[in-house]
Amino acid sequence: MKPSPESMTAMQSLSRSMRAVPLALLLAALLVWGALASGGARAHEMQPVIVSIETTRDGALTLTARMNIEAFLANIGAGHEDTDDAPTAALYNSLRGQNEAAVAAAAKASSPGLLAAMTLSADGAPVRLAFAAAAVPEVGDAAVARLSVVTLQGRLPLGAQALVWQNTKRFGDAVLRVSRLGEREPYFTDFVAAGEPSAPAPLDIDARQATIDVVVNYVIAGFDHIVPKGLDHILFVVGLFLLSTRLKPLLLQITCFTLAHSLTLALGALGLVQVSAAIVEPLIAASIVFVAVENLFTSRLQVWRPAVVFGFGLLHGLGFASVLADFGLPDGQFVAALAAFNVGVEIGQLTVIGLCFALVGFWFGGKPWYRRYIVAPASIGIALVALFWLAERTGMIGA
């Protein structure tokens, strides 16, 4: 049977791509190295500490920090994106293998250092905090970061109007959430970089965080989740960019992706859709593989690709929703915070596309060798990185 013209075109495209294998392997090696260096599968990734402060009308205060306590005990802070990069990685891994009682006891013994790593002030006056408890999960998979909850207690001075929380670089980046006893959602949130003070959180019982502050904080949080921390989402967007240098195919794909992840982000934030990360994360890796591999066989937008991209966008939106759940949504400003986070994600994606165009598309997109020496090697490299993530996230290989 004579091959169809479409099959011949695909075979010729693949043949040309295979001639770029040496360059592709070099690029793939660099991408794999970058993925490992950045903790791409999140096994040892340093995550922001979630600090929640709950106050009462009479001034009682409870501070809980959901954190990687083993990383703190091993003195691994904001200077390392991955625990394996730190000089004390061996100590961290040893602590990670200890049972919950042993780690809780170590946290209590080191509570003076924990208290020294943060400051809390009300109207400029220090608030004294005392260690209360450390809740440490069971060992589980020792290759996955264990998030414990440390509880501190204190009392605010009478009539205090605002509080400010500040951390050190040892404590790392943090998300601050302030709520009142009995309220489900925080009324104040802030993303606090390591070593920086938070914005003042009002303590007036009728106060609410200004909408503009909420918007700015959540735009920053959404952008930060893409650039620089969302390497898997970055590679997916780069895969979409590589299909064609024409603007229409790119806009159609990005539109489908945006609509889809916005939908599941909203549904996830509302609690209407919840899917385990053990399912979502491997599927996100698989989506990257699909897009990268298809780039090798076609140079134009096939009729099915927008629908496939939309489906993958639903998965990525669930991943965004899990991150947003860690931040929480401020009471009374749910819609503003959700929209701002989504805008931050979009700005991050557009930044990635803009960089791709500025660095590659503008200069080389019209060259006859563009697909052979740029699209093919980059797509093969992205596919290999995503295959590594897929194997790691499904437990086929160790983290």
Side-chain angles (χ1 to χ4, degrees):
M1 180 182 294
K2 184 178 180 180
S4 65
E6 292 80 6
S7 299
M8 290 294 294
T9 300
M11 293 173 63
Q12 291 169 357
S13 177
L14 181 60
S15 175
R16 288 193 298 269
S17 299
M18 291 303 102
R19 288 198 291 270
V21 164
L23 180 59
L25 292 177
L26 175 60
L27 180 58
L30 292 173
L31 286 169
V32 170
W33 175 83
L36 292 172
S38 64
R42 301 194 179 113
H44 300 275
E45 182 182 4
M46 291 294 292
Q47 300 175 339
V49 179
I50 307 297
V51 176
S52 300
I53 298 177
E54 187 178 71
T55 63
T56 65
R57 288 178 181 270
D58 64 359
L61 176 148
T62 300
L63 184 153
T64 60
R66 187 164 69 89
M67 60 186 296
N68 184 337
I69 191 64
E70 294 95 329
F72 182 85
L73 293 173
N75 199 23
I76 302 175
H80 301 280
E81 293 185 1
D82 190 294
T83 58
D84 282 343
D85 296 336
T88 56
L91 174 58
Y92 170 81
N93 292 328
S94 173
L95 289 166
R96 184 61 191 87
Q98 294 183 18
N99 63 39
E100 55 271 28
V103 175
K108 182 177 181 179
S110 66
S111 59
L114 180 65
L115 293 170
M118 67 177 83
T119 58
L120 183 66
S121 61
D123 298 340
V127 175
R128 182 181 175 84
L129 296 172
F131 180 87
V136 181
E138 297 179 355
V139 173
D141 184 354
V144 179
R146 174 168 52 177
L147 296 180
S148 304
V149 177
V150 175
T151 302
L152 309 176
Q153 292 180 334
R155 180 165 291 277
L156 295 168
L158 292 177
Q161 296 298 306
L163 60 81
V164 173
W165 182 82
Q166 184 169 0
N167 59 3
T168 67
K169 291 190 175 181
R170 180 181 176 187
F171 206 75
D173 295 339
V175 175
L176 175 65
R177 310 192 303 186
V178 183
S179 61
R180 301 182 183 90
L181 182 65
E183 294 186 353
R184 186 175 66 88
E185 295 293 343
Y187 68 86
F188 178 91
T189 59
D190 193 18
F191 183 84
V192 187
E196 299 294 327
S198 71
L203 292 171
D204 184 341
I205 199 67
D206 295 320
R208 286 291 184 271
Q209 188 174 13
T211 301
I212 185 62
D213 293 333
V214 172
V215 169
V216 170
N217 285 335
Y218 279 83
V219 167
I220 292 173
F223 182 87
D224 184 72
H225 182 60
I226 300 297
V227 182
K229 296 180 178 178
L231 184 56
D232 47 1
H233 302 297
I234 288 174
L235 291 191
F236 184 82
V237 172
V238 173
L240 300 183
F241 169 83
L242 288 171
L243 174 67
S244 172
T245 56
R246 295 171 55 231
L247 185 60
K248 184 177 178 180
L250 178 61
L251 289 179
L252 182 56
Q253 292 178 91
I254 293 298
T255 299
C256 290
F257 184 61
T258 297
L259 290 174
H261 78 63
S262 298
L263 175 62
T264 45
L265 173 59
L267 293 175
L270 289 167
L272 299 177
V273 176
Q274 292 183 335
V275 182
S276 169
I279 297 174
V280 172
E281 293 298 328
L283 289 177
I284 287 177
S287 72
I288 302 170
V289 174
F290 178 91
V291 167
V293 170
E294 190 184 25
N295 286 345
L296 299 174
F297 288 88
T298 182
S299 60
R300 61 186 179 89
L301 189 69
Q302 302 296 333
V303 293
W304 62 79
R305 179 138 163 165
V308 172
V309 170
F310 184 88
F312 290 153
L314 296 176
L315 294 172
H316 286 250
L318 292 173
F320 298 148
S322 68
V323 174
L324 189 57
D326 287 338
F327 282 72
L329 291 166
D331 185 37
Q333 304 197 58
F334 178 95
V335 175
L338 177 60
F341 185 86
N342 200 48
V343 168
V345 169
E346 297 311 315
I347 294 174
Q349 292 176 173
L350 293 175
T351 298
V352 172
I353 292 171
L355 288 173
C356 288
F357 181 77
L359 296 175
V360 177
F362 177 80
W363 302 101
F364 310 120
K367 303 296 183 182
W369 43 261
Y370 177 72
R371 280 192 55 79
R372 179 183 302 179
Y373 294 115
I374 293 181
V375 175
S379 295
I380 293 172
I382 290 171
L384 290 176
V385 171
L387 281 171
F388 170 79
W389 287 339
L390 180 61
E392 192 174 43
R393 295 176 186 184
T394 54
M396 296 175 63
I397 60 174

